[in-house]
Amino acid sequence: MKRILSLLFVLVSLHLGGALELAHADAGAPAYTPGTSGLTLPSLSLSFANSEKPTDVVAILRIVMLMTVLSLAPAILVMMTSFTRIVVVLSFLRQAIGTQQMPPNQVIVGLALFLSFFIMAPTFKQVTADAVEPYLNEKIDQKTALYRAEMPMREFMFKQTREKDLELFLSLSKEAKPKDKSEVPTYVLVPSFIISELKMAFQIGFMLYLPFLVLDMVVASVLMAMGMMMLPPVMISLPFKLLLFVLVDGWELVVGSLVKSFG
């Protein structure tokens, strides 16, 4: 097998070399020779040098911090947006129907991601208009841009956070009681928002479970009345669940309710 692969590699190399020579000949260029094809490839070099200027060290630290933030971008997207509630509710819906891995995880995560972009679009537009564009146009500095970008995200999280969860993390952090929302630290707001999102997602998941649970109980009762106790009720109830979900246009109801819940 290795000899066959080696032979194929040699034949491809010879064929490629002949094609390059023919192309150069047709263009009036000199014949192709290995190592002088004239093709240029981009290269990247990274080097470190000693410096006595504090500004150079600060620039390097900023680059390291920026790379760290970029590596945490998926977690920020998941925890500070509507993604958590949506993906949990869709997972509950799949379990309630009983379709095992249908829809697959990739579809659920993708749908939750695009729905999150749809819900967060006004917030992202405000961040772009107030922070990103002025910073790229060099109208504001980096610190001001971060502060302006944080404000719309905090406003969105405050709307979805319960006061009870916020008081819990304020007491755990042993911070002084803030006078208004502007004095609430972001590191206190984010976990409060996540807990509130999980509670809301579980409440919606419970409501989704009820109609399918009733259908399972009806099917199980009918099978027991017919004496078919060895037949799993799930096998019989699954087609009826799918039929019920399609007839009531379940995806429209679920997705519409999820989007409206962030209003």
Side-chain angles (χ1 to χ4, degrees):
M1 186 65 182
K2 293 182 178 180
R3 293 181 179 178
I4 296 175
L5 292 176
S6 302
L7 181 60
L8 289 175
F9 178 78
V10 172
L11 292 175
V12 171
S13 302
L14 292 176
H15 179 72
L16 181 60
L20 289 173
E21 290 180 359
L22 181 60
H24 280 273
D26 292 341
Y32 168 77
T33 55
T36 59
S37 62
L39 298 176
T40 58
L41 298 175
S43 60
L44 175 65
S45 61
L46 179 64
S47 60
F48 296 91
N50 296 327
S51 176
E52 298 180 355
K53 297 180 180 179
T55 55
D56 295 339
V57 179
V58 172
I60 294 175
L61 292 177
R62 286 181 177 178
I63 294 175
V64 173
M65 292 177 63
L66 178 60
M67 297 300 294
T68 304
V69 171
L70 291 177
S71 64
L72 296 176
I76 295 174
L77 175 64
V78 169
M79 296 302 168
M80 298 179 64
T81 63
S82 58
F83 181 85
T84 301
R85 183 189 304 184
I86 297 173
V87 74
V88 172
V89 169
L90 294 179
S91 299
F92 272 125
L93 176 62
R94 183 176 64 181
Q95 293 179 9
I97 298 176
T99 53
Q100 301 299 326
Q101 295 298 322
M102 289 295 154
N105 292 330
Q106 293 84 350
V107 175
I108 289 180
V109 173
L111 179 59
L113 188 62
F114 281 102
L115 286 177
S116 300
F117 286 144
F118 177 80
I119 295 170
M120 300 296 298
T123 304
F124 290 158
K125 288 180 180 179
Q126 186 176 355
V127 171
T128 303
D130 297 344
V132 178
E133 291 182 354
Y135 177 72
L136 294 178
N137 295 329
E138 299 182 355
K139 295 181 180 179
I140 57 176
D141 57 5
Q142 184 179 7
K143 184 177 180 180
T144 305
L146 292 175
Y147 176 77
R148 290 186 179 182
E150 186 182 15
M151 289 299 102
M153 298 298 299
R154 284 171 57 90
E155 183 179 356
F156 171 80
M157 288 189 288
F158 270 121
K159 290 181 180 179
Q160 310 301 327
T161 303
R162 300 186 308 161
E163 294 184 2
K164 184 177 180 181
D165 296 328
L166 195 59
E167 292 175 357
L168 170 64
F169 283 96
L170 282 173
S171 62
L172 292 176
S173 64
K174 298 181 180 179
E175 292 281 347
K177 187 176 182 179
K179 299 179 181 179
D180 52 15
K181 294 181 179 180
S182 61
E183 296 183 0
V184 176
T186 303
Y187 73 88
V188 173
L189 176 60
V190 173
S192 305
F193 168 74
I194 296 171
I195 296 300
S196 299
E197 286 293 282
L198 288 175
K199 177 172 180 164
M200 179 62 69
F202 275 69
Q203 289 177 347
I204 298 175
F206 172 75
M207 298 301 295
L208 288 175
Y209 253 101
L210 287 180
F212 299 110
L213 180 61
V214 171
L215 187 57
D216 282 334
M217 294 175 62
V218 171
V219 172
S221 300
V222 172
L223 290 178
M224 289 184 65
M226 297 174 62
M228 305 174 64
M229 293 179 293
M230 300 301 295
L231 183 63
V234 178
M235 295 181 59
I236 306 300
S237 63
L238 179 57
F240 291 100
K241 288 180 181 179
L242 295 176
L243 179 62
L244 174 64
F245 192 73
V246 172
L247 289 178
V248 300
D249 202 355
W251 287 113
E252 180 183 0
L253 294 175
V254 173
V255 172
S257 300
L258 278 173
V259 174
K260 292 177 182 178
S261 66
F262 290 95

